[in-house]
Amino acid sequence: MSPIQHTITHLVVHKLHRSGESPASAELREGACRVDDAAVRLVERLCGHYADRSSKGYGRFAEDEGEADSPLPRLVREHVVDKSLDFAALSQRMMDALRLCADEEGAEVSGYVVIARILEGATDCLWIAVVGEAVGSAVTGALDIVDCLHLDFAALPAAGRIDLSGWQRGDERYVSFLKGRGDVAPWFKRFLGCGDVVIALKETKKLVQRLSDFAETQRLEAPARDAMLERAHGYLDELGEAGSPLALDEIARKVWPDQPERLDAVLSSGEAPLASGFVPDRRAIRPLVRFRAAGEQWKLEFDRASLHSGAVHYDRASDTLVLSGLPEYLKKMLQEE
């Protein structure tokens, strides 16, 4: 798959700080940043780190702007549709909302706030990310070693992406945001004005298909493939029974513990990304360990393991299934017939 071309149309960086009981403060830049090579590298790193994180939530704005907990839906409309708010003013109003949410939720958060409008191919997107700092090392012209501060994208505490094209089309979900092991920071989700839209059955079916595709691409021997899919089924079944939400990075560790990053990459890729945080639908995970089919005059269901135990045999040449070990009651019914 060819990489997505990112074209920055607007970019600005502000600074947010809140610690202890003190109100949040913001250091605002008056105008947009220059889109030079450094800005492009920053955006590419942000998009790359965001894409690599599999635990994301998805949703949409409240149907009624007046019912939203955040002014962001209204600000987006004023900037994109009404064109009454330029990008610099939009970013400053967004910072006001960000400070307010951090204060009301009691969040301790500090970092640079990157706000950008980016064309991803033909898709128009608005990005908001809070990026912290880390101390690194640099070597001067005199070959001395000195400390230097840099943006730490590896520890991205909060980030969200609004698909403006999808929003204008009326898509089911067009807001995405990073989630941790539990949930996204409440203050940031509130800032986004986003209500989660996750249909558990639909997402579970997508997950089952991705797991099955991964098993095929690894060219595993039948026992190893079956063991992997059985681990996935067992873990998802436990979550479904307990009503516990799923974290995609966690299932990668449970199902493919030797190289979880490979499975994690498959689960988080694709044009229709998987949501994280839904409770698996136990009905939809059956294909991981069981085949079910129906014809005009028959229905059939059997476990995947039966193909390898010999209880079920598929003959490709004659396109027939042979069932062994029939129960006595079925044999009697067949003999009487």
Side-chain angles (χ1 to χ4, degrees):
M1 184 171 61
S2 59
I4 297 174
Q5 178 67 41
H6 297 100
T7 303
I8 307 169
T9 59
H10 301 87
L11 173 68
V12 70
V13 177
H14 302 300
K15 194 168 186 179
L16 176 70
H17 179 74
R18 188 185 188 282
S19 179
E21 299 300 320
S22 302
S25 61
E27 182 180 337
L28 301 179
R29 178 182 172 89
E30 290 187 6
C33 297
R34 185 175 58 194
V35 180
D36 54 13
D37 290 343
V40 171
R41 282 192 292 270
L42 182 148
V43 165
E44 292 292 349
R45 290 187 65 196
L46 170 61
C47 294
H49 279 284
Y50 190 85
D52 289 342
R53 294 273 288 273
S54 58
S55 292
K56 299 186 184 74
Y58 297 86
R60 59 184 296 132
F61 293 146
E63 295 294 336
D64 185 345
E65 288 180 1
E67 296 179 358
D69 289 336
S70 167
L72 188 60
R74 173 176 52 80
L75 296 176
V76 169
R77 175 180 52 78
E78 291 176 355
H79 173 64
V80 177
V81 179
D82 300 342
K83 302 190 184 304
S84 59
L85 203 61
D86 64 24
F87 184 79
L90 168 70
S91 71
Q92 292 174 7
R93 298 277 289 278
M94 288 170 67
M95 287 297 295
D96 289 339
L98 203 60
R99 284 193 299 107
L100 181 62
C101 288
D103 278 340
E104 292 183 349
E105 297 288 342
E108 290 203 14
V109 56
S110 295
Y112 293 96
V113 181
V114 179
I115 301 175
R117 190 165 173 183
I118 304 169
L119 283 173
E120 301 174 14
T123 303
D124 191 7
C125 297
L126 180 65
W127 285 75
I128 312 98
V130 182
V131 188
E133 283 183 318
V135 177
S137 299
V139 179
T140 68
L143 302 183
D144 292 323
I145 301 172
V146 296
D147 287 338
C148 63
L149 290 174
H150 64 90
L151 296 179
D152 186 13
F153 286 97
L156 205 58
R161 172 183 176 274
I162 302 170
D163 179 347
L164 300 175
S165 301
W167 168 65
Q168 292 179 290
R169 285 193 305 266
D171 288 357
E172 181 182 40
R173 57 184 197 176
Y174 45 81
V175 180
S176 66
F177 49 88
L178 291 184
K179 301 182 74 170
R181 292 292 181 87
D183 200 353
V184 69
W187 68 275
F188 190 73
K189 183 176 174 183
R190 179 180 171 186
F191 158 74
L192 289 173
C194 175
D196 290 36
V197 177
V198 174
I199 303 172
L201 178 60
K202 181 179 178 181
E203 293 297 315
T204 306
K205 287 181 177 179
K206 284 166 56 180
L207 173 59
V208 166
Q209 187 61 55
R210 295 278 177 88
L211 289 169
S212 299
D213 292 345
F214 178 79
E216 291 299 323
T217 60
Q218 298 307 298
R219 301 183 182 277
L220 303 175
E221 295 293 332
R225 181 193 63 216
D226 293 348
M228 175 205 151
L229 296 177
E230 285 171 7
R231 283 196 300 270
H233 180 273
Y235 178 61
L236 295 174
D237 193 52
E238 288 179 6
L239 293 179
E241 185 176 17
S244 301
L246 169 74
L248 292 179
D249 54 351
E250 185 65 22
I251 191 175
R253 284 189 287 271
K254 293 284 187 180
V255 174
W256 201 243
D258 293 338
Q259 293 180 305
E261 65 281 354
R262 292 175 64 179
L263 177 55
D264 192 45
V266 171
L267 296 181
S268 59
S269 63
E271 295 182 359
L274 281 163
S276 188
F278 65 91
V279 176
D281 190 302
R282 298 175 74 192
R283 299 167 296 170
I285 64 175
R286 291 173 185 160
L288 289 171
V289 293
R290 187 170 300 172
F291 291 98
R292 175 183 292 175
E296 292 184 3
Q297 298 178 342
W298 54 267
K299 289 184 179 180
L300 187 66
E301 183 175 352
F302 56 90
D303 289 342
R304 182 184 295 272
S306 63
L307 288 169
H308 311 295
S309 69
V312 178
H313 174 69
Y314 174 56
D315 188 328
R316 294 191 181 191
S318 60
D319 197 23
T320 57
L321 277 176
V322 179
L323 308 181
S324 303
L326 300 181
E328 290 299 324
Y329 76 88
L330 179 57
K331 288 194 288 186
K332 184 178 179 181
M333 292 170 60
L334 292 171
Q335 290 166 359
E336 291 176 352
E337 187 67 23

